[in-house]
Amino acid sequence: MPDNTTAADNPPPQNAALVLLGGGARTAYQAGVLGGVGEILQAQGWPTQRNPFPVVCGTSAGAINAAYFASRCAEWPAALHELQTLWSTLQAHEVFEVGTGQLLRGGARWLGLMAFGWLWKQNPRALLDNTPLADTLGRRVHFDAVDAAIQSGALRALSVATSSYTSGRHITFFQAHPEVQPWRRPGLWGIAQPIGVEHLLASSALPFVFPAMPLYGEVGPEYFGDGAMRQLAPLAPAIHLGAERALAIGVAEPHPEAGQMRRHLPPYPSVAEIAAHAMSSVFLDTLRADAQQAGRINRMLADLPPEVRADLPYRPLPTLTLLPSTSIDAIAARHWHSMPRGARLLLQSVGMGTGRGSALASYLLFTPDYLSALVELGRADALAQRDAITAFFNLTAPDPHCA
């Protein structure tokens, strides 16, 4: 017999969190997943006036999606639809300068300073100039609306993860209901501060690729880079902000198969291959581990008597993790030709774009055909997980050990 339970019949737990990890252009996948989630919720009769994610946490380019949604969460169906459109139509010139001459001069200067900057006492800033991204964010994200959503009760908190090059701390900036307090753990701080363009630029500043951003931390001005660096517990901000469960969307590659035995040593890895491997470690590998840890704690707490559980400093965080079913690296390899010529020439010089270098291209290929493919993949993956998503929102009987 079909289950006709709707959100109106079975209210969900308060303060469900949306946790969005980053990965440059790969983050378009999240827009597709959220579009699919929106379709599922609307089909189940979720009220349009009830934001399904009162807590929104973003890291790296995921912080851009988080801020975009938080600023429009009072009308969440339209927000999720518009987020898909934003990514499907985004072009490279809206993210970084793409003029051939400017790119090649900037790249040559960056490489020169990497090698000889000590002679002139200058530090290289970044390979690409992301000034256009600041303008794009200023036009697309309604930062003033975040505070209005908090005041109205539609939103409890928005957080943006960053990493300080100055102090070495992993710092989460958050804008939230007044009852949410800052936190300090060894190397991990939470600082209350109105979120703006500069926070998103800092959180999404891919190391070496985009420049670090100055922000005012608790002990003064510091330079901040991509929030995925040193982020060992991506679910932690959601817990600090009062979430009772979390839907986390990552952009990691599917687990690789063993493959065939190799008789000969492959060619020495290119700069692009080494950089892609480093980025994969920085951006993509922590969500699975943190979700598994949350699952272990959930199961431990469920097995304890209530009186014992009440005395422990832990509480369950049911977590649903959604990840790509298909290799994003392979999709990037098929669409590499769409990169603007100047950027393609510069990035090909370090081995990016073909073969194993396509992994690095997957982070920087801000072209509509590639991004649209990721959006469609995300939507299909979400719809394929319809049962898990409806269970997460208590639209059907949830799994208490969900992780």
Side-chain angles (χ1 to χ4, degrees):
M1 183 176 180
D3 186 344
N4 296 318
T5 303
T6 68
D9 300 323
N10 189 11
Q14 297 298 308
N15 297 334
L18 176 63
V19 179
L20 301 173
L21 275 72
R26 301 171 72 101
T27 313
Y29 172 81
Q30 294 173 348
V33 172
L34 289 172
V37 170
E39 290 180 35
I40 293 168
L41 291 179
Q42 288 181 286
Q44 292 284 352
W46 190 278
T48 58
Q49 70 274 16
R50 182 196 297 165
N51 173 19
F53 299 110
V55 176
V56 187
C57 306
T59 297
S60 190
I64 295 174
N65 286 342
Y68 186 94
F69 176 76
S71 70
R72 291 168 165 79
C73 65
E75 299 178 352
W76 64 267
L80 297 184
H81 176 75
E82 292 164 3
L83 186 62
Q84 293 178 88
T85 302
L86 185 157
W87 277 101
S88 297
T89 59
L90 188 67
Q91 300 190 51
H93 72 263
E94 296 179 275
V95 180
F96 55 85
E97 297 290 352
V98 298
T100 302
Q102 184 175 5
L103 274 170
L104 295 179
R105 285 193 300 272
R109 184 174 186 276
W110 182 79
L111 292 171
L113 288 174
M114 285 285 286
F116 304 109
W118 58 274
L119 286 173
W120 303 301
K121 297 182 179 180
Q122 294 185 46
N123 292 323
R125 294 181 65 85
L127 180 62
L128 298 176
D129 178 2
N130 65 344
T131 300
L133 180 58
D135 179 65
T136 300
L137 294 175
R139 289 185 290 105
R140 301 294 187 105
V141 182
H142 303 156
F143 294 97
D144 292 342
V146 173
D147 185 63
I150 293 172
Q151 295 296 326
S152 71
L155 182 71
R156 175 178 171 84
L158 165 67
S159 74
V160 172
T162 65
S163 184
S164 172
Y165 289 117
T166 306
S167 68
R169 296 186 183 92
H170 189 272
I171 294 181
T172 298
F173 293 96
F174 68 90
Q175 187 172 347
H177 189 278
E179 72 179 21
V180 178
Q181 296 299 308
W183 62 88
R184 283 195 186 185
R185 294 172 55 194
L188 302 173
W189 289 15
I191 298 177
Q193 200 170 103
I195 302 300
V197 170
E198 63 276 11
H199 296 87
L200 303 188
L201 292 175
S203 185
S204 60
L206 294 170
F208 301 109
V209 178
F210 295 136
M213 286 295 297
L215 295 173
Y216 206 90
E218 194 164 309
V219 295
E222 304 176 44
Y223 274 103
F224 290 86
D226 202 291
M229 295 185 289
R230 296 198 173 192
Q231 188 180 47
L232 301 180
L235 298 176
I239 295 172
H240 286 293
L241 296 170
E244 296 179 1
R245 57 180 52 208
L247 175 66
I249 308 175
V251 292
E253 287 290 289
H255 285 298
E257 298 180 359
Q260 297 180 341
M261 288 294 295
R262 183 179 293 108
R263 292 181 176 273
H264 303 289
L265 188 68
Y268 191 82
S270 67
V271 173
E273 291 174 71
I274 295 172
H277 184 73
M279 283 196 179
S280 180
S281 299
V282 169
F283 292 102
L284 307 178
D285 291 339
T286 57
L287 177 57
R288 286 190 181 106
D290 202 27
Q292 288 173 356
Q293 176 70 2
R296 286 192 290 269
I297 293 174
N298 293 344
R299 288 187 289 273
M300 178 194 73
L301 293 174
D303 292 338
L304 293 175
E307 62 274 12
V308 175
R309 188 165 59 238
D311 292 333
L312 294 176
Y314 304 106
R315 56 186 174 84
L317 184 75
T319 303
L320 175 61
T321 302
L322 300 178
L323 295 166
S325 61
T326 300
S327 169
I328 292 181
D329 292 350
I331 297 174
R334 294 197 296 270
H335 292 280
W336 169 243
H337 66 277
S338 64
M339 176 70 84
R341 182 173 181 272
R344 194 167 66 249
L345 290 173
L346 173 62
L347 299 173
Q348 281 176 336
S349 68
V350 296
M352 188 188 299
T354 58
R356 289 177 293 173
S358 63
L360 186 57
S362 71
Y363 296 89
L364 297 174
L365 195 53
F366 291 97
T367 60
D369 58 346
Y370 169 66
L371 299 175
S372 295
L374 297 191
V375 170
E376 287 304 313
L377 173 63
R379 178 177 174 274
D381 283 354
L383 295 179
Q385 295 293 322
R386 181 183 299 271
D387 290 345
I389 291 169
T390 54
F392 175 85
F393 287 103
N394 278 357
L395 301 178
T396 61
D399 177 3
H401 295 156
C402 174

